[in-house]
Every structure is written in structure tokens, then in C-alpha cells.
Amino acid sequence: MSIRLIKVGDPKLLIKCLALRKIVFIDELHIDPYIERDGYDNINLRADHFLIEYDGMNIGNIRVVKEDKKTIDISRFCILKDYRNQGIGTMALRVIEYFYYNRSYDHIVTDVFIKAYDLFKRCGYTKISATMINAGIPYFKAEKYLQ
């Protein structure tokens, strides 16, 4: 199994990330496109996009927003349905954590869909809010401190 995260710097790769997000968030989860897309969906200094590649196939996306000099917010994390529950999400999170830890970030926050909590719990994330609903999907906030 060969997994690679590609940091997006090219608009063509960003288009691939957005296409994967459309499949998962808009088509599969029925999230309104006006909610799913926002001002961070471009190549800029505040948000990084990563394309998740598995055996040469584009299968997912992670967007990371830099909140401040120590905190990042993982958002728009998705993996195509056929590739879930194979350890890919865990590996992708570990790569992101390592990447940002080496750039002096030590705190991660994220909104976690309830059905994805097991993944984040296995990776050491702690629930820090009550359950909320957005776009009809229950979620809560979680965090992790990197050491």
C-alpha cells in the first residue's frame, strides 16, 4: 500500500481536491455546495490543501487552515467511500501532524462528524464540545496537542 500526500501549489491539483470533495460532501452526504465551499478554497497563505494519493489514484483531500502561529484547523478531510476503513485516514492524519509539528505548530482543532469519531479517537483527538448540527450532519469539535 503506497500512500502519499501532495501539498497543492498548482491550481490543477486544487481542482482535483475540489472534485473529490464534491463526490464525498455534496454527492454522498448531500451538503449544500454553498456551505461546502468557502473562502479558503483557493491557494493562499492561510490554507493548505493536500491531495491524498493511494497507489497512484487520487482518493481524498485534507484542507488545513492556519489559525495562529501554533494552531491549525483540519477541515474538509475526505476519503472516497471505497477506500475508507483501510488505515488510510490514520496515515494521512499522522502525515499532517508530522508536517505541521515540524513547522512549530503544536495544537490541532477540527470539526469531526460523529461517524468519523473513531478515526480521530484512535489518533489521540479529544472531544471538546457538545454535539452540534451543520448541514444536517451531527458533529463536534475536537483537538489534539502535538508533542
Side-chain angles (χ1 to χ4, degrees):
M1 167 168 51
S2 172
I3 295 173
R4 186 167 76 128
L5 268 67
I6 303 164
K7 187 172 184 284
V8 173
D10 175 351
K12 290 178 184 177
L13 286 180
L14 181 60
I15 289 168
K16 290 180 181 187
C17 289
L18 296 174
L20 289 161
R21 283 175 36 192
K22 179 188 180 302
I23 292 167
V24 174
F25 294 119
I26 297 170
D27 298 342
E28 181 185 332
L29 298 175
H30 308 291
I31 294 174
D32 185 321
Y34 293 105
I35 294 173
E36 200 283 319
R37 299 281 164 86
D38 63 24
Y40 297 116
D41 291 331
N42 53 48
I43 298 171
N44 64 50
L45 297 176
R46 180 111 188 265
D48 294 327
H49 299 264
F50 294 84
L51 185 62
I52 303 170
E53 193 178 82
Y54 174 76
D55 287 343
M57 305 253 324
N58 300 325
I59 61 134
N61 171 80
I62 298 177
R63 183 178 77 184
V64 177
V65 177
K66 299 165 202 144
E67 295 293 328
D68 59 39
K69 291 181 180 184
K70 293 290 185 180
T71 303
I72 60 169
D73 182 348
I74 294 176
S75 61
R76 306 309 196 266
F77 179 15
C78 67
I79 295 176
L80 295 175
K81 196 176 212 173
D82 291 345
Y83 296 93
R84 294 179 199 152
N85 300 310
Q86 299 178 35
I88 297 167
T90 299
M91 286 188 247
L93 278 175
R94 298 283 187 228
V95 169
I96 291 295
E97 291 168 3
Y98 182 79
F99 181 88
Y100 285 96
Y101 181 74
N102 284 322
R103 284 156 181 79
S104 300
Y105 290 89
D106 63 5
H107 184 223
I108 300 173
V109 295
T110 185
D111 291 344
V112 178
F113 291 162
I114 298 295
K115 65 183 185 178
Y117 180 56
D118 286 345
L119 163 65
F120 285 88
K121 186 176 178 182
R122 278 192 311 274
C123 292
Y125 288 75
T126 304
K127 183 177 175 180
I128 60 169
S129 78
T131 300
M132 299 171 270
I133 304 286
N134 188 10
I137 298 173
Y139 76 98
F140 56 83
K141 294 197 174 294
E143 70 179 357
K144 180 175 182 176
Y145 286 91
L146 303 174
Q147 318 179 22

